[in-house]
């Protein structure tokens, strides 16, 4: 399996999507989910993914339209199309729209997983999306290493995902709700202090023994990681 793979699933069948994302996560793959074409297009445009799994028939914007628009925007992330339309002409249409693979429904998850892994190995994510930098702080998604001014910083898995998400959105306010959805993968009261505790631990690790603070608390909004120069 491709190390630390992150994928986007665009599927309007919520039961199927829940099963799929749960199974991907159990296989060690980080899986985000969008339930319609417009939401999926936004997420795919704003975030870096290794592979996308897109249902062909979607509300608000169909899957082939999503793929075509992504290609116009120079988003070249590999795409696997899922569809109940499995004839040869349907597959050809999907591939010509910009898809990299096509899997008819119903399917076995083991085959879906294998195809996603192949797409991840074949093209992978661009190198610049594997490394995030904010000032002298560096995070390597492939090796799971974090360094500041060349000094290695040891993080727990949740701390690493938290820092990864903050650095991916460097210079932007990240709300507690966003962190719950993208780092913890579930929803509950955004006023809970679990996030504050983890941010405090992360801040102590990446700022202790360094002169310049990078991780800021934006009162009433959330957090931001930024190099003030």
């Amino acid at each position: 399996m491709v190390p630390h793979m992150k994928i986007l699933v665009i599927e309007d069948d919520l039961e199927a999507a829940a099963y799929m994302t749960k199974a991907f996560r159990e296989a060690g793959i980080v899986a985000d989910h969008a339930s319609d074409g417009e939401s999926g297009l936004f997420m795919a445009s704003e975030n870096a993914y290794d592979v996308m799994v897109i249902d062909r028939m979607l509300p608000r914007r169909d899957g082939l339209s999503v793929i075509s628009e992504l290609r116009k925007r120079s988003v070249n992330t590999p795409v696997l199309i899922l569809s109940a339309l499995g004839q040869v002409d349907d597959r050809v249409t999907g591939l010509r729209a910009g898809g990299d693979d096509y899997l008819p429904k119903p399917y076995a998850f083991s085959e879906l997983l294998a195809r996603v892994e192949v797409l991840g190995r074949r093209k992978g994510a661009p190198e610049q999306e594997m490394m995030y930098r904010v000032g002298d702080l560096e995070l390597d998604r492939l090796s799971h290493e974090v360094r500041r001014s060349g000094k290695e910083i040891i993080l727990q898995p949740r701390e690493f995902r938290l820092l990864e998400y903050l650095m991916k959105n460097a210079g932007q306010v990240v709300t507690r709700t966003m962190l719950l959805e993208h780092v913890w993968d579930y929803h509950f009261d955004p006023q809970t202090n679990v996030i504050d505790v983890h941010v405090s631990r992360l801040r102590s690790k990446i700022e202790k023994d360094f002169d310049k603070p990078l991780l800021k608390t934006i009162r009433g909004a959330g957090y931001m990681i930024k190099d003030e120069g």
Side-chain angles (χ1 to χ4, degrees):
M1 186 173 63
V2 179
H4 316 305
M5 185 186 291
K6 184 173 183 178
I7 70 172
L8 173 64
V9 175
I10 309 179
E11 167 65 76
D12 64 318
D13 184 328
L14 298 184
E15 184 176 349
Y19 168 78
M20 205 186 312
T21 53
K22 181 175 183 291
F24 276 128
R25 288 165 185 162
E26 289 175 350
I29 296 174
V30 177
D32 289 345
H33 170 239
S35 59
D36 63 78
E38 286 293 345
S39 299
L41 177 61
F42 175 78
M43 291 177 67
S45 300
E46 295 296 315
N47 300 284
Y49 293 102
D50 301 304
V51 176
M52 290 183 283
V53 177
I54 303 180
D55 184 33
R56 181 165 175 169
M57 307 298 288
L58 293 167
R60 298 184 68 198
R61 181 189 280 264
D62 70 89
L64 298 191
S65 172
V66 171
I67 298 168
S68 296
E69 181 61 28
L70 288 172
R71 299 311 187 221
K72 289 179 184 176
R73 298 182 186 183
S74 298
V75 177
N76 296 313
T77 305
V79 172
L80 185 149
I81 300 170
L82 293 177
S83 179
L85 304 174
Q87 300 300 313
V88 173
D89 287 348
D90 298 317
R91 299 187 192 202
V92 170
T93 300
L95 295 173
R96 284 180 173 168
D100 297 274
D101 198 357
Y102 196 107
L103 183 60
K105 297 180 179 181
Y107 57 85
F109 179 77
S110 58
E111 181 179 4
L112 173 61
L113 177 61
R115 288 174 179 246
V116 165
E117 290 174 350
V118 167
L119 287 177
R121 285 197 302 269
R122 185 197 305 169
K123 294 187 177 180
E127 183 179 351
Q128 63 268 25
E129 295 175 351
M130 291 292 97
M131 179 76 74
Y132 295 128
R133 293 182 178 88
V134 176
D136 58 352
L137 180 66
E138 297 182 345
L139 180 147
D140 190 324
R141 290 181 63 200
L142 283 178
S143 66
H144 258 221
E145 292 181 347
V146 175
R147 295 181 181 276
R148 185 164 184 191
S149 294
K151 178 182 178 181
E152 185 175 7
I153 299 172
I154 305 300
L155 300 181
Q156 296 299 315
R158 186 75 68 183
E159 294 168 345
F160 183 89
R161 287 190 62 187
L162 174 60
L163 180 61
E164 178 185 16
Y165 189 73
L166 287 165
M167 293 183 72
K168 183 172 65 177
N169 295 280
Q172 303 177 41
V173 175
V174 175
T175 67
R176 289 173 174 81
T177 300
M178 291 166 66
L179 290 174
L180 287 172
E181 292 178 352
H182 293 280
V183 178
W184 274 264
D185 299 323
Y186 55 84
H187 307 262
F188 61 85
D189 182 4
Q191 300 305 314
T192 180
N193 72 345
V194 65
I195 292 176
D196 303 276
V197 170
H198 278 80
V199 168
S200 178
R201 290 175 182 168
L202 176 62
R203 179 183 280 123
S204 69
K205 289 186 177 183
I206 66 173
E207 296 187 349
K208 184 180 179 181
D209 300 326
F210 298 98
D211 295 333
K212 187 194 302 181
L214 295 174
L215 181 52
K216 300 169 177 59
T217 299
I218 310 300
R219 188 178 297 275
Y223 304 95
M224 178 191 297
I225 193 163
K226 182 179 181 181
D227 178 25
E228 296 290 359

